Amino acid sequence: MTNRLRGAAFTAAISLVTACSAAIPPIWDTAPAGRLPGTVVPRHYELAMTIAPESERFSGDVAIAVEFTRPTRTIWIHAEGIDPVSVTLATPGGQSLEGVWHGERDGVEGVVAIRLPRRVGPGSGTLRIRYTAPFDERLRGLYRVEVDGRSYAFTQFEALDARLAFPSFDEPAYKTPFDITLTVPSGDAAITNTLPVSAVSVSGGRTRTRFATTVPLPTYLIAFGVGPLDVIQADDLPPRGLRTHAVPFRGVAAAGRGADLDFALRNTPPLLVAFEDWFGSPFPYAKLDILAVPDFGAGAMENAAAITFRDSLLLFDGLISEQDRRRFTYVMAHELAHSWFGNTVTMPWWNDIWLNEAFATWLGWRIVGSVAPEQNAEVSLLDAVHRAMQIDGRSSARAIRQPIESNHDVHNAFDGITYSKGAGVLGMFERWIGPEAFRDGVRDYIEAHRDGNATTRDLVDALSNASGRNLTGPFRSFLVKPGVPFVATQTLCDAAGPRLALHQERYVPLGSEADRDSLWQVPVCARHALAGEVGETCTLLGAAEGVLELPGDACPDWVMPNAGAAGYYRWAQSPGDAEKLIETGFDALEAPERLSLASNLEAAFRAGGASIAQTFGAFEVLARDENRAVATAPMPLLKLARNHLLDETDRTELEELTSTLYADRLRALGWDPAEGESGETALLRRAVVEALAFTARDEGVRAEAARRAQRYAGIDALGPADPTALAPDLVDVAMRVAVQDGGTRIFDALAAQLHGSDDAIERRHRLAALGAADQPLLVARAQSLALDERLRVNETTSTLWPLVRRTATQETTWQFIEENFEALIDRTGPGGAGALPWLASGLCSAAAAERVEAFLAPRAADLDGGPRNLAGALESIRQCDAIREAHTEGAREYFADPPEFSDAR
């Protein structure tokens, strides 16, 4: 909007006439529960806001250039918690029409009707709303945070919360330029999506800063950060290749923490450069800011050119654990990927959010693999895909591209299905059509829809054109249908030649009521060896039965039914084929394929297709694997057996088995990192110490862990805190042991350190330790931390999660959750409270499922995403109960006379 039009709109504005005094006939359409009707479309925003983080409220003045697509007297717009001061519509002819603001109608939250005195349109106009609103206290919209006595304001708008900060057409289809002006206390920094173009002092000790016009953006990608922030100017990203300009690059943190951004500022540019190369186009924004937010609900948010993160992902003031190093690298890569996929090209509605999140997940890991190959990104992605398969095994699982029928569906869309299953499906099709064709299709898609919106069909069409294959049917079968395909294979060798017989159905674990009779169009690729020659052959399995023709005339030496572990399907082989693969082909398999074998063995156990003896009998081979992820694959089932299949008398043999598998590993690794050791070694040490301390209950390991934890935290008699006493990746593991074995003295010391620190990583370690308490009085104190106002909002359930998942403490912890459920909702807000049903997912009996359902069913509809989350939690409980029923007897028989394993090295 031009300055002249803006001035005319301001001059014409008059005070709002409230709904109760208006003489406008009550003629209404029904309030839209989903998408807005499209009668009024935004074309440009001028947004001026006054933000003083130490105040209770903020104010705004938004002028929206709109287009009326047909005549109407009602403008439906999104707003929540907004108190209007005036509402006017300026028409092109110079008229100013007074609008009447009508709040929530028909039970639809966040949607407001503005009634005009007469019908308007088709044509254009400028809707101007002056308003005030409270800062949110629960990490939604525009919210306040206090750190060390200083106040800050930050935003989180995705998916439905821009409407808490300014009245808007809060849907991803409405991409428009924004002109933003922020008035803040002088001395405070103001950050948004573009760089400042002017700043002037105004009355009241404030500074008014006008920012450059944005590229077209949806409301959910707008961001603000205001407060006494440290703003660290890093080196500009220099011009390169297709990018002819430098990109200013800054890090932003709470006062006094700017120096701790050094690691993030040094390690972000190589990732951005790798994305530019992959997409074949320059970073799409004129600057890049990364903001470390002291209290943040999500992990990070891809706001255009102003990416926000939990501060624990960006701020490091000492030795960095390998876990934190990898968290930073992957999350940064994920958010940068959105700059192209999601921001430059945006889905028009939330049913296509998978386009954003699945792609950022898949490509984020791919870019990490190219920039930091030592981080084993390929296996990390596969591990995430396997976890998604567990979710996808439930009958309550949603589809990747799930229809959006209510706001609940929007909130549910941000889950492991969208992110990790979606990533797995993308990886499968990339391998099937080839990486170059896949990349070329994505590039075509980005260029065709730059700064606009696009759908799943647009992407699939681009990939089909680039590959010369019609991918619509295969893609659709995985996007609209929940569940994991299960592909059973058998090698056949006769006069017709060698071939692999294929059968598909839905994978159904014990305790799931999902229907097995479901079919996909599955790209099945098998690796095989014949006379030492290893090859790969693929087919598209579209029916319940199929055949994959193998090359040559003789039977293969072995067959791996999921080449590269790239296929999104569970698999099983005939007994003879499985024996050949283990005995002849195992060492020739790539690490992802060995991990796939381990994961599918576990999947067979969870589905009742493999016994305890068959499953645990493979652990010796897996535990001595050179790859960390494969070597640690037995650990979850060892833990499950301890917690749910064995009683105290049977656990001794399981503890001995765990020690046999891993004790020599720890002796070889040692407690202290060797100079120059790999990150994989550091993570293996962590996993082995944890298994020996908590599953094997090794007294020597526990004593050493507790001793080192006390030295590290400075709570022994040997002197002050010694940060070298523990390898960085062992800190929280050792502290958990120390709390369990040291009792009140250790608990008190760590609780005091928690409340005395603003460092998110140190707080995370202490909370994990306090959540490990097992003495009744300390358990009660750990539970009560959930209601302690000294905890950050995003820390509310930090101690409840470990307490409710341990068999010894889950009964009293669930009782605490029931008794304090309303208080927990108040602490977390409706958005955070939507995840509360998942706290029950670690319970493991039919009685527990009945109790949880009786308590939560009447409450779930009031929680964002609550109904589906409750259904998933209940199914998790019943699946665990079904495993217990199916495998307890076999576990007791197995450990009554366990086989002799050699020490695994």
Side-chain angles (χ1 to χ4, degrees):
M1 186 194 305
T2 66
N3 287 336
R4 179 180 59 81
L5 283 177
R6 185 168 182 260
F10 271 66
T11 302
I14 59 175
S15 297
L16 171 72
V17 179
T18 61
C20 60
S21 62
I24 299 175
I27 302 172
W28 297 99
D29 299 322
T30 301
R35 303 178 74 167
L36 296 177
T39 309
V40 184
V41 178
R43 298 302 183 196
H44 181 270
Y45 287 80
E46 286 202 13
L47 177 61
M49 299 183 67
T50 298
I51 301 172
E54 70 277 6
S55 301
E56 296 292 325
R57 301 177 68 83
F58 59 92
S59 62
D61 189 334
V62 60
I64 311 172
V66 297
E67 179 182 344
F68 291 86
T69 60
R70 59 181 182 269
T72 185
R73 284 184 62 187
T74 302
I75 300 174
W76 293 104
I77 194 168
H78 292 111
E80 185 175 342
I82 299 293
D83 296 317
V85 176
S86 64
V87 180
T88 58
L89 177 72
T91 67
Q95 289 184 304
S96 179
L97 304 178
E98 187 176 324
V100 181
W101 179 280
H102 293 264
E104 178 183 322
R105 300 186 60 81
D106 304 319
V108 179
E109 295 182 357
V111 179
V112 166
I114 296 172
R115 283 290 277 172
L116 302 172
R118 61 174 176 82
R119 292 164 72 88
V120 176
S124 61
T126 300
L127 176 65
R128 182 181 175 202
I129 304 168
R130 291 174 172 172
Y131 66 95
T132 68
F135 285 105
D136 189 74
E137 299 291 342
R138 297 296 178 259
L139 314 185
R140 301 169 61 225
L142 177 57
Y143 65 92
R144 291 190 312 165
V145 176
E146 285 199 6
V147 180
D148 198 23
R150 298 182 177 96
S151 296
Y152 302 84
F154 296 100
T155 56
Q156 172 56 34
F157 290 164
E158 191 180 36
L160 307 174
D161 292 335
R163 63 196 68 179
L164 277 73
F166 58 96
S168 56
F169 297 83
D170 194 13
E171 295 181 5
Y174 296 129
K175 296 183 73 172
T176 75
F178 280 74
D179 280 298
I180 296 172
T181 300
L182 298 179
T183 301
V184 306
S186 296
D188 278 3
I191 307 293
T192 186
N193 304 88
T194 54
L195 289 170
V197 295
S198 67
V200 297
S201 296
V202 295
S203 62
R206 298 174 296 173
T207 299
R208 178 170 296 145
T209 303
R210 184 168 62 87
F211 295 85
T213 304
T214 72
V215 297
L217 294 174
T219 49
Y220 81 86
L221 291 176
I222 300 299
F224 314 126
V226 175
L229 297 161
D230 284 357
V231 181
I232 307 301
Q233 182 67 60
D235 292 339
D236 289 356
L237 306 175
R240 62 177 302 274
L242 296 173
R243 177 162 50 76
T244 59
H245 63 277
V247 176
F249 178 39
R250 303 183 298 182
V252 181
R257 296 301 304 271
D260 297 337
L261 287 161
D262 179 69
F263 177 85
L265 293 174
R266 285 189 288 108
N267 287 280
T268 297
L271 294 168
L272 186 142
V273 166
F275 278 111
E276 289 184 321
D277 290 343
W278 196 92
F279 282 104
S281 60
F283 181 68
Y285 304 117
K287 60 94 172 175
L288 174 61
D289 293 332
I290 57 174
L291 289 75
V293 181
D295 200 354
F296 194 65
M301 176 62 207
E302 65 269 19
N303 314 298
I307 307 175
T308 44
F309 297 81
R310 285 196 180 200
D311 56 354
S312 60
L313 288 166
L314 296 188
L315 301 180
F316 305 105
D317 67 352
L319 295 174
I320 304 174
S321 72
E322 186 63 21
Q323 281 191 315
D324 285 325
R325 186 185 302 272
R326 294 190 183 194
R327 286 188 186 110
F328 161 80
T329 309
Y330 166 67
V331 175
M332 180 61 73
H334 181 104
E335 302 309 325
L336 288 173
H338 280 306
S339 299
W340 287 265
F341 227 102
N343 295 11
T344 296
V345 180
T346 308
M347 74 285 165
W349 187 235
W350 300 107
N351 58 343
D352 270 329
I353 187 60
W354 84 274
L355 289 170
N356 292 21
E357 301 301 349
F359 196 89
T361 301
W362 173 78
L363 187 58
W365 282 117
R366 282 299 178 90
I367 293 300
V368 171
S370 67
V371 173
E374 72 281 0
Q375 294 193 11
N376 207 14
E378 184 179 22
V379 169
S380 296
L381 171 58
L382 181 59
D383 190 49
V385 172
H386 287 159
R387 291 195 301 272
M389 287 181 176
Q390 287 202 18
I391 300 171
D392 214 13
R394 301 175 190 139
S395 61
S396 58
R398 48 180 292 280
I400 294 176
R401 193 174 188 271
Q402 183 74 25
I404 301 297
E405 298 175 354
S406 70
N407 285 352
H408 285 306
D409 295 319
V410 176
H411 294 290
N412 290 136
F414 294 86
D415 69 349
I417 296 296
T418 293
Y419 286 68
S420 298
K421 177 181 179 178
V425 168
L426 288 172
M428 174 174 65
F429 282 104
E430 188 229 19
R431 188 179 180 101
W432 192 45
I433 70 175
E436 290 188 4
F438 190 90
R439 184 198 61 202
D440 290 346
V442 170
R443 289 179 174 182
D444 292 343
Y445 167 86
I446 295 291
E447 291 308 314
H449 304 284
R450 182 172 292 277
D451 291 330
N453 298 98
T455 64
T456 292
R457 180 171 182 174
D458 295 319
L459 175 63
V460 175
D461 285 350
L463 294 174
S464 296
N465 292 335
S467 65
R469 301 186 188 187
N470 184 351
L471 302 178
T472 301
F475 248 113
R476 177 178 172 79
S477 72
F478 279 90
L479 296 179
V480 304
K481 191 176 296 186
V484 189
F486 172 71
V487 178
T489 71
Q490 181 175 8
T491 303
L492 302 176
C493 300
D494 52 29
R499 62 200 183 277
L500 204 61
L502 307 174
H503 167 81
Q504 71 156 310
E505 59 186 45
R506 181 172 179 172
Y507 170 74
V508 180
L510 295 166
S512 172
E513 297 180 353
D515 185 359
R516 295 182 186 275
D517 295 331
S518 195
L519 299 177
W520 291 260
Q521 294 186 44
V522 188
V524 175
C525 293
R527 277 219 308 154
H528 39 73
L530 178 61
E533 291 292 325
V534 177
E536 181 175 329
T537 307
C538 299
T539 190
L540 185 67
L541 177 62
E545 309 292 336
V547 172
L548 173 61
E549 301 290 345
L550 298 176
D553 299 321
C555 255
D557 301 327
W558 54 263
V559 175
M560 167 60 185
N562 191 351
Y568 187 82
Y569 52 86
R570 290 296 189 188
W571 56 268
Q573 295 177 290
S574 65
D577 286 356
E579 184 177 356
K580 283 185 178 182
L581 181 61
I582 293 291
E583 294 187 357
T584 308
F586 188 81
D587 291 340
L589 298 180
E590 300 169 353
E593 293 172 330
R594 300 198 303 276
L595 183 59
S596 175
L597 189 153
S599 177
N600 280 280
L601 179 63
E602 178 179 347
F605 172 82
R606 291 181 177 275
S611 68
I612 280 278
Q614 292 170 319
T615 305
F616 282 44
F619 285 179
E620 182 180 16
V621 173
L622 297 174
R624 65 170 178 245
D625 197 274
E626 63 184 16
N627 183 273
R628 171 187 57 86
V630 180
T632 59
M635 292 179 180
L637 287 185
L638 291 167
K639 182 178 178 180
L640 182 148
R642 178 184 181 89
N643 289 343
H644 299 300
L645 303 182
L646 302 173
D647 57 28
E648 287 291 342
T649 58
D650 297 317
R651 287 176 184 162
T652 301
E653 293 293 342
L654 179 132
E655 291 169 0
E656 291 181 1
L657 170 59
T658 306
S659 292
T660 298
L661 294 174
Y662 296 110
D664 273 7
R665 281 276 196 174
L666 180 57
R667 282 189 281 273
L669 292 166
W671 283 82
D672 298 307
E675 184 176 353
E677 77 173 17
S678 70
E680 286 295 290
T681 299
L683 294 179
L684 178 60
R685 178 185 294 109
R686 172 192 169 82
V688 168
V689 169
E690 187 170 34
L692 292 173
F694 294 103
T695 303
R697 306 295 292 186
D698 185 297
E699 293 182 1
V701 170
R702 291 181 68 87
E704 182 67 7
R707 184 183 69 82
R708 286 173 174 264
Q710 292 178 71
R711 282 179 51 204
Y712 176 91
I715 50 178
D716 67 359
L718 300 179
D722 178 6
T724 67
L726 276 170
D729 287 282
L730 294 181
V731 172
D732 66 308
V733 176
M735 284 186 174
R736 283 152 51 200
V737 174
V739 165
Q740 290 185 350
D741 293 355
T744 303
R745 181 177 66 88
I746 305 298
F747 190 101
D748 288 346
L750 293 180
Q753 292 178 4
L754 165 71
H755 297 311
S757 174
D758 284 324
D759 184 283
I761 294 174
E762 290 299 314
R763 292 177 63 85
R764 185 182 73 211
H765 291 157
R766 271 78 182 159
L767 284 165
L770 299 174
D774 55 6
Q775 298 176 21
L777 291 178
L778 298 182
V779 169
R781 289 177 59 189
Q783 292 165 350
S784 68
L785 285 170
L787 305 179
D788 193 323
E789 292 291 337
R790 292 172 293 179
L791 261 61
R792 298 175 177 186
V793 174
N794 67 12
E795 295 171 338
T796 299
T797 57
S798 295
T799 55
L800 296 182
W801 276 107
L803 289 169
V804 81
R805 298 190 77 82
R806 289 205 315 277
T807 53
T809 55
Q810 60 187 190
E811 173 65 27
T812 60
T813 303
W814 183 253
Q815 182 176 339
F816 172 88
I817 292 168
E818 287 186 348
E819 292 171 353
N820 295 279
F821 199 73
E822 297 305 318
L824 290 171
I825 293 175
D826 185 60
R827 278 281 290 154
T828 60
L836 291 177
W838 287 115
L839 285 167
S841 61
L843 305 179
C844 193
S845 69
E850 292 176 5
R851 174 179 176 177
V852 170
E853 185 169 23
F855 179 77
L856 286 180
R859 297 168 170 83
D862 295 328
L863 310 176
D864 291 347
R868 187 180 292 275
N869 290 342
L870 173 57
L874 291 173
E875 193 167 2
S876 294
I877 299 170
R878 290 170 178 141
Q879 284 180 340
C880 181
D881 182 53
I883 289 173
R884 188 174 56 79
E885 290 289 333
H887 288 298
T888 294
E889 183 177 350
R892 290 174 178 168
E893 291 176 356
Y894 180 82
F895 284 105
D897 185 22
E900 292 292 331
F901 283 172
S902 62
D903 287 348
R905 293 175 174 84

